[in-house]
Amino acid sequence: MIISGTLMLPGSPSTVRLAPGWIATDHDHIAQVHESESRTTDIDLGGDDCLIFPGFIDTHLHLPQFDSIGQDNLPLLQWLDEIIFPAESRWENPDYARSMTQRVAHQLLSHGTTSIAAYATVHAHSAQITLDLLADLGFAGCVGHVLMDRNAPDFLLKPATQLIDEAAAAKPKGRLTPAITPRFAISCTPDLLEGAGQLASKFPWPIQTHLAETVPECLLIAELFNNTPYTQVYDQFNLLTEKTILAHGIWLDQNDHALIKSRNAIIAHCPTANEFLRAGTMNRADTLVSGVKLSLGSDVAGGPDRSMVRVARAMIDAAKAVNTQTPPSAAQCFWQITQSNADILNLPTTGTIKAGNFADLLVIKPDIPWQDSPNPLSTLLYAWDDRWLKATIIQGQLRYQAE
Ligand code: GUN
Ligand code: FE
C-alpha cells in the first residue's frame, strides 16, 4: 500500500515534526519511508491535503466503562459504587462483553487509538474474549482481568485464590498480552495483592493499578493498611516494577516519587479524568523533575474524552493550572501520545513512522489551512476535530474508514 501526505516523524528529543513524504507498507509493516515530496500518483491513501500520523496510544482506559461516559458530579468512590460497578457487572455475560467490545473497538479506531493498556472486569472469561477480539483487529498492548476481593458489591467480588488462578490462566494473543490488574489497594485484600505480586514475578506481563487519585481514597488506604504510605503498599507486595503502570498519581510526595523512580515504575497521567472527577490536578513538571516516567491515558470513563488528542490538550491545561513553568508544547503532546507512550508501554514496533515498524497509521484530512500557521502542530492540536480522521490502519490493514 502507498500512503502519501505530510508525515508525522520523530523530531529532536521528545518531539515530533511534520514533513511531506510517502510510505510504502508491505503486509503488516512499514517497508519504506520517503521524506521529500508527497506523492500524487499511484497512491492508495492520503494525498497532498492529508496528514499521516502514527496510531495513537492510550496507556490507561477501562473498556467496560465506555457507555458510562459523562455521569457527572459524583466523587470517585461514590461514582464507582453508583455508576461503574453496575456497568461492569454486565460483563458477567460473555455475549454482552463481546458485543460491547465490538462497539468500543469501533470507537477506538474512529478516534485513532491503535494501542492500549486497558482494564476489562473481574470476569476472567469476558476479559479473555475481549483480549482475543481486540488482538484479532491488530491492537497492541495489554488487557487486564481486574482483581478485586473487597469493598465492592458482592456480584463483583471473588475469592483471592480463584482470581489468581484465573489470572494465571490468561493467554496472550497477537500483539496483546494479559496484564496483572489489581484494581487498587482499596478493592484488594493483602492476600490478593500478595498473589498478584507473585504472578508478576512469573509472567512478563504489565502490572496496572490506580494510585493516589483522590484524597478520600488515600485516607481509606491509610485506614486499611495501618498507615502504610500508599505507594509502599504496592511495593510491599512486589507490585512496583518497571512494567507497572500507576494511574493518576496525583497525591504523592517526594518520598513516593523517589520510591516509584527507584523501581522504574510508570505513572499514567490522566488529566481529563482528574478534571472530570475533580480528583485534583497532577503536577506534571514536578513528577518529571523527580525522574519518574510519565505516560498519558484517557481513563475512560473517569475521563470523558475518547480522543487522545484531547487528552493531550488537557495535559497542557493541567500544566498551566498548577505552575508557571513552561507547559508542554504541541510537538511534545503529539510525541507523548505516539512514540513516548509506545516506549513506556514497551511497544518498540509502533508509535513512530519508520521502516520496520508495524504499519499502525492514521490518515487525517483537516478542513483548515494548517499549513499557513506559524505553528502547525499547535493549530492541529487545538482545532482538532475527530471528523478529520479518514482512515485508521493497524498492521497494514484498513480497520476504519470514514464514510
Ligand atoms: N480507581 C479504582 N477504580 C477506578 C476506575 O475504574 N476509574 C478511576 N478513574 N479510578 C479508579
Ligand atoms: Fe482508571
Side-chain angles (χ1 to χ4, degrees):
M1 186 157 45
I2 304 289
I3 308 168
S4 180
T6 298
L7 311 180
M8 177 177 281
L9 297 167
S12 50
S14 313
T15 62
V16 293
R17 67 192 167 89
L18 297 175
W22 56 278
I23 299 164
T25 67
D26 181 10
H27 295 96
D28 57 0
H29 65 278
I30 298 172
Q32 300 165 31
V33 179
H34 296 271
E35 195 187 325
S36 53
E37 299 279 287
S38 58
R39 180 169 153 161
T40 49
T41 52
D42 298 329
I43 61 171
D44 299 292
L45 281 172
D48 262 355
D49 48 359
C50 289
L51 291 141
I52 315 301
F53 285 8
F56 300 138
I57 296 161
D58 187 347
T59 71
H60 182 72
L61 71 160
H62 298 260
L63 301 166
Q65 297 181 14
F66 271 63
D67 295 339
S68 305
I69 288 171
Q71 302 311 301
D72 207 357
N73 288 322
L74 291 169
L76 171 68
L77 299 178
Q78 225 178 312
W79 174 79
L80 288 173
D81 276 339
E82 292 181 24
I83 308 292
I84 295 307
F85 292 151
E88 294 194 0
S89 74
R90 304 186 77 170
W91 278 42
E92 189 183 0
N93 177 348
D95 292 333
Y96 185 86
R98 183 179 290 105
S99 68
M100 182 157 177
T101 302
Q102 272 155 350
R103 285 191 286 113
V104 171
H106 181 266
Q107 292 177 59
L108 292 171
L109 293 169
S110 68
H111 287 84
T113 297
T114 57
S115 297
I116 52 175
Y119 288 49
T121 62
V122 72
H123 313 99
H125 185 47
S126 291
Q128 187 69 50
I129 287 173
T130 299
L131 187 156
D132 292 348
L133 209 152
L134 294 175
D136 288 344
L137 290 170
F139 284 93
C142 62
V143 175
H145 155 230
V146 176
L147 309 177
M148 45 203 294
D149 68 346
R150 66 167 163 176
N151 290 321
D154 284 347
F155 54 77
L156 281 183
L157 299 179
K158 295 190 194 168
T161 47
Q162 181 188 342
L163 287 168
I164 297 302
D165 288 349
E166 287 172 348
K171 295 279 175 287
K173 185 170 192 197
R175 299 167 71 195
L176 281 174
T177 70
I180 297 157
T181 310
R183 180 173 212 119
F184 61 166
I186 289 178
S187 48
C188 302
T189 60
D191 280 352
L192 183 55
L193 292 171
E194 170 105 38
Q198 283 166 2
L199 278 184
S201 66
K202 277 192 217 141
F203 295 96
W205 307 330
I207 302 165
Q208 20 176 34
T209 188
H210 294 85
L211 172 68
E213 179 178 2
T214 69
V215 172
E217 166 198 351
C218 295
L219 293 174
L220 185 51
I221 292 285
E223 228 175 85
L224 292 170
F225 291 92
N226 238 337
N227 289 323
T228 306
Y230 200 166
T231 311
Q232 282 183 37
V233 170
Y234 292 133
D235 195 47
Q236 267 179 3
F237 295 105
N238 300 316
L239 289 165
L240 273 198
T241 74
E242 75 217 356
K243 48 184 188 142
T244 304
I245 306 166
L246 303 158
H248 305 281
I250 301 174
W251 301 99
L252 301 175
D253 63 19
Q254 285 178 343
N255 293 331
D256 299 303
H257 284 151
L259 177 56
I260 295 167
K261 175 181 155 45
S262 74
R263 301 289 185 248
N264 216 5
I266 302 148
I267 292 181
H269 181 24
C270 302
T272 47
N274 296 344
E275 165 118 35
F276 180 75
L277 291 171
R278 289 190 259 189
T281 309
M282 195 190 74
N283 192 321
R284 177 178 177 275
D286 277 4
T287 311
L288 283 174
V289 165
S290 72
V292 170
K293 289 187 291 185
L294 266 192
S295 68
L296 194 69
S298 71
D299 193 26
V300 167
D305 283 296
R306 291 164 291 172
S307 161
M308 285 308 293
V309 180
R310 278 194 297 279
V311 176
R313 177 175 157 179
M315 175 169 84
I316 298 180
D317 297 340
K320 285 179 179 171
V322 285
N323 63 38
T324 52
Q325 293 177 33
T326 315
S329 65
Q332 286 171 313
C333 284
F334 280 113
W335 169 79
Q336 180 73 64
I337 63 175
T338 55
Q339 186 177 354
S340 174
N341 274 357
D343 288 349
I344 287 173
L345 284 195
N346 200 16
L347 300 171
T349 53
T350 191
T352 21
I353 294 181
K354 70 171 188 208
N357 265 11
F358 281 114
D360 298 340
L361 300 167
L362 311 177
V363 179
I364 295 146
K365 191 173 172 185
D367 61 353
I368 55 166
W370 56 273
Q371 294 97 329
D372 302 337
S373 161
N375 184 341
L377 284 168
S378 194
T379 299
L380 291 166
L381 182 78
Y382 279 95
W384 187 261
D385 184 332
D386 296 313
R387 290 171 297 181
W388 295 352
L389 181 59
K390 299 303 170 194
T392 301
I393 297 150
I394 309 193
Q395 268 190 307
Q397 302 262 341
L398 188 59
R399 293 292 183 187
Y400 165 79
Q401 195 159 25
E403 285 115 42

